[in-house]
Amino acid sequence: MSKLIVAKFGGSSVADFDAMSRCADIILAEPNIRLIVVSASAGVTNLLVAITKHCDISERYVCYQGIEAITLSVINQLQQPECVAAEIKHLLLALKHLIENGGVVYGAAQKDEIQSFGERLSSVLFAQVLRERGVAGLCFDIRQIMRTDSRFGKAEPQVANISALCGQHLQPLLHDNIVVTQGFIGADELGQTTTLGRGGSDYSAALLGEALSASTVQIWTDVVGIFTTDPRLTEQARCIKEISFDEAAEMATFGAKVLHPATLIPAMRRNIAVFVGSSREPHAGGTWIAKEVKERPPYRAIALRKSQTLITVKSPAMLHAAGFLTRVFDTLSRHQISVDLVTTSEISVALTLDENGMSTAFSASVEPALTELKTFCEVSVEQGLSLIAVIGNHLHGSKGIPGDLFNTLERVNMRLICHGASKHNLCFLVQDADAANVVKQLHQRLFTAG
Ligand code: ADP
Ligand code: ASP
Ligand code: MG
C-alpha cells in the first residue's frame, strides 16, 4: 500500500508569505507528502473573475493591480526573489496582454484562461518558499496531465486519460522532488485551459490522489475540520472527528463550502482517506473522512445553499394522462439543466435549480428551457430561496425526524420539503433572508438541546 500523501492548500492557506510558510512547516513535518496542490492566493480568483466581467480596460486594470500587489508582497519576502522573478513577470505580462487585447467581451475559453492565472502564480511562489526551506520543490504545470472535456467553467475530468498522463509525466518526478502544482485548472485535448468550477482545487487534489493511488488526501483550509454546520453561522457548530464518505459527500453536495461537491467521488472510487484540517492550527486535530466509521448518528450536520430557484410547472390538461413528467424532464435534459429537488402532484411538478452551480448566467441557460415548457404548461419561477439539508443516517426510516423539524420551525414558511428518497438527507427550502436563522435554530435543536 502506497504511503504517498497529496496535500492541498486552499486560498487562505497560501494567502501571503507567512501563510505559505506555515504550509511549508506542515510539509517539512510529514515526509510522505510528495505532491502539493495549491489554490490561488485568497482573493485572486475573485479579482480574475471580475476582470472577465468588466468591459472597460481601466476597470480590468484595477483588478490586475490587486493581483499584482498580492504577488509582489510574497516576492518581496523571499530570500532569493530572482529565482522566480522572470517566471512571475512572464505570467503577469501574459495576463496584462489578455486584459488589453481580450476584446470587449471575453469568450468562455478566454475566461478560463484568465482564471487560471491565480493558481499558476501561487504555485510558482509556493515552490520557491519550499526551496528556501531546503526542500526540493518543483513547480509542475498540471495542464500536462489534468485532461478535461471542453466545458469551460465546469469542465469534466477524463479520469482514464489523467491516470495515464500522470504515470507518464508526473509520477517519475515524485521520486526526487516535492512537486507543487495547481488545483482548479486543466486542459482539453486541444491544450486549451479549462477550469473545474469554483472551489475546484479540492477536486483536483482528489483526482490526483486517485491517479497516484495515494494513501491520503489532505485538505488544509481555514477551519479545523468539517463542522456540524458552517461555523460562520453559529458558534455552537462543533468539529466532527470522523465522518463517512456518504455523509461528507452529501454535505459537500448541499453546500458545505469546505469541500467542492465532487471531491469525494475519486476518493470513494479508490477508498482513499481524506483529512480536513487547518493550516493555521495543524495540531488542533481535524476531520477524517473514510469508508468505515465507528458511529453513524441519525443527525450529522446541516448544510445550507443559498440562491436557489424554484420552478413550478402545471398542466391541468394532464389530469389522468400519462407522460407529463417525461415531457418536463426531457425538455430540461435537452437544455442541459440539472435538477436538484423535486416534488410532484398529478398535474404539477416543483423543482429546484442551483444558480451558483451554473456556468453561465441563469437567464442564458434556463430561459430557452422555460420558453419550451410554456408551450405545454403554466410555468412559475421563484428566486431568492435557500436549500437547507439535514444530513445523517437512516433519516428515511427513523421515527420523529420530520417532527423535530416541524416543531423547531413552526414559525417559518417552508416552501418545499423532500424527505424519503435518501437515507442520508432531508431537504427543504426557505427564503434566503430566513436561512441563517433557521440553520441556527435547527442546529440548536438537533445538536445542542439536551
Ligand atoms: P479554501 O480556500 O481553503 O478552499 P473555503 O473557503 O473554500 O476554503 O472553505 C472553507 C470554509 O467553508 C470555512 O471557512 C467555512 O466557513 C465554510 N464551511 C461551510 N460549511 C462548513 C462546515 N460544515 N464545516 C466547516 N467549514 C464549513
Ligand atoms: N481558486 C479557485 C477558486 O477560488 C479554486 C479553489 O480555490 O479551489 O474558486
Ligand atoms: Mg475551497
Side-chain angles (χ1 to χ4, degrees):
M1 174 78 189
S2 140
K3 288 185 177 167
L4 184 129
I5 297 174
V6 176
K8 176 257 169 175
F9 295 95
S12 52
S13 302
V14 292
D16 52 32
F17 180 80
D18 291 344
M20 288 188 186
S21 302
R22 285 191 292 272
C23 300
D25 292 338
I26 293 173
I27 294 158
L28 281 161
E30 176 49 82
N32 290 317
I33 299 179
R34 308 292 308 170
L35 179 65
I36 291 133
V37 177
V38 290
S39 293
S41 301
V44 169
T45 307
N46 285 348
L47 288 166
L48 291 164
V49 170
I51 289 175
T52 66
K53 288 188 174 155
H54 287 305
C55 302
D56 185 79
I57 292 190
S58 60
E59 282 175 313
R60 290 178 189 169
Y61 256 122
V62 174
C63 302
Y64 169 84
Q65 280 163 348
I67 295 165
E68 192 182 47
I70 293 169
T71 307
L72 294 183
S73 88
V74 179
I75 295 222
N76 290 338
Q77 292 188 68
L78 291 171
Q79 287 158 22
Q80 294 172 301
E82 65 280 6
C83 295
V84 287
E87 203 165 350
I88 293 292
K89 192 173 166 199
H90 172 76
L91 285 168
L92 289 174
L93 272 175
L95 178 58
K96 246 186 188 169
H97 181 81
L98 283 163
I99 286 175
E100 285 161 7
N101 304 301
V104 180
V105 179
Y106 290 110
Q110 278 180 314
K111 284 183 182 168
D112 274 19
E113 179 68 26
I114 290 175
Q115 285 182 40
S116 73
F117 278 87
E119 274 72 10
R120 286 158 68 191
L121 287 163
S122 62
S123 53
V124 171
L125 295 171
F126 189 66
Q128 180 61 19
V129 169
L130 281 183
R131 285 192 291 270
E132 293 188 2
R133 298 287 295 274
V135 173
L138 180 81
C139 186
F140 177 79
D141 189 335
I142 203 64
R143 292 172 296 175
Q144 287 183 58
I145 67 163
M146 186 58 72
R147 179 64 60 78
T148 70
D149 67 9
S150 308
R151 242 181 294 167
F152 298 105
K154 213 172 174 50
E156 199 56 49
Q158 296 172 346
V159 175
N161 280 333
I162 294 168
S163 167
L165 291 165
C166 181
Q168 259 174 287
H169 302 292
L170 175 60
Q171 202 143 21
L173 300 175
L174 297 173
H175 299 300
D176 301 321
N177 306 279
I178 305 270
V179 175
V180 179
T181 195
Q182 309 82 31
F184 180 55
I185 67 172
D188 68 6
E189 59 179 350
L190 298 175
Q192 302 179 96
T193 301
T194 56
T195 63
L196 306 183
R198 291 304 303 267
S201 298
D202 304 324
Y203 189 24
S204 306
L207 287 162
L208 292 169
E210 177 181 36
L212 292 164
S213 298
S215 65
T216 308
V217 172
Q218 298 180 339
I219 307 283
W220 294 101
T221 180
D222 60 354
V223 276
V224 293
I226 300 183
F227 282 64
T228 45
T229 194
D230 187 340
R232 288 184 208 184
L233 294 175
T234 167
E235 340 175 295
Q236 291 179 340
R238 51 189 162 74
C239 185
I240 302 166
K241 293 288 150 211
E242 198 190 48
I243 185 169
S244 66
F245 280 140
D246 297 331
E247 297 164 286
E250 296 269 347
M251 287 183 76
T253 304
F254 287 111
K257 192 181 168 232
V258 64
L259 289 178
H260 177 276
T263 310
L264 294 171
I265 299 170
M268 287 160 100
R269 278 196 294 253
R270 282 286 175 115
N271 196 11
I272 300 170
V274 177
F275 172 82
V276 180
S278 161
S279 63
R280 203 172 258 283
E281 300 172 79
H283 302 295
T287 302
W288 279 99
I289 312 171
K291 191 172 169 192
E292 304 297 339
V293 289
K294 284 192 211 91
E295 284 175 26
R296 286 183 182 266
Y299 297 129
R300 181 65 97 175
I302 304 172
L304 165 64
R305 205 162 67 188
K306 296 194 116 183
S307 305
Q308 307 300 291
T309 301
L310 180 66
I311 297 189
T312 308
V313 283
K314 189 173 163 196
S315 174
M318 291 309 291
L319 190 64
H320 301 309
F324 173 53
L325 286 181
T326 311
R327 243 181 122 181
V328 170
F329 284 101
D330 177 55
T331 306
L332 294 169
S333 131
R334 273 186 288 99
H335 289 274
Q336 295 201 324
I337 292 172
S338 98
V339 172
D340 263 340
L341 306 186
V342 184
T343 58
T344 63
S345 75
E346 191 161 32
I347 58 158
S348 61
V349 49
L351 36 92
T352 65
L353 312 176
D354 176 16
E355 278 180 65
N356 305 309
M358 288 181 192
S359 49
T360 45
F362 172 77
S363 51
S365 56
V366 179
E367 253 0 297
L370 296 187
T371 307
E372 195 177 327
L373 286 172
K374 282 176 191 161
T375 60
F376 63 94
C377 44
E378 294 162 25
V379 180
S380 67
V381 177
E382 289 167 60
Q383 284 176 294
L385 293 162
S386 284
L387 191 167
I388 296 179
V390 175
I391 287 136
N393 295 281
H394 302 293
L395 291 176
H396 64 330
S398 305
K399 288 183 188 154
I401 299 231
D404 277 345
L405 204 71
F406 293 136
N407 288 338
T408 315
L409 306 177
E410 58 189 2
R411 286 176 210 287
V412 177
N413 173 22
M414 268 195 257
R415 184 59 192 81
L416 174 147
I417 304 177
C418 281
H419 177 47
S422 160
K423 56 184 174 184
H424 291 298
N425 73 61
L426 183 164
C427 300
F428 58 96
L429 291 182
V430 298
Q431 297 296 327
D432 273 339
D434 295 332
N437 216 12
V438 167
V439 171
K440 227 171 158 170
Q441 280 179 47
L442 200 55
H443 189 276
Q444 162 80 18
R445 166 89 187 205
L446 303 185
F447 296 98
T448 29

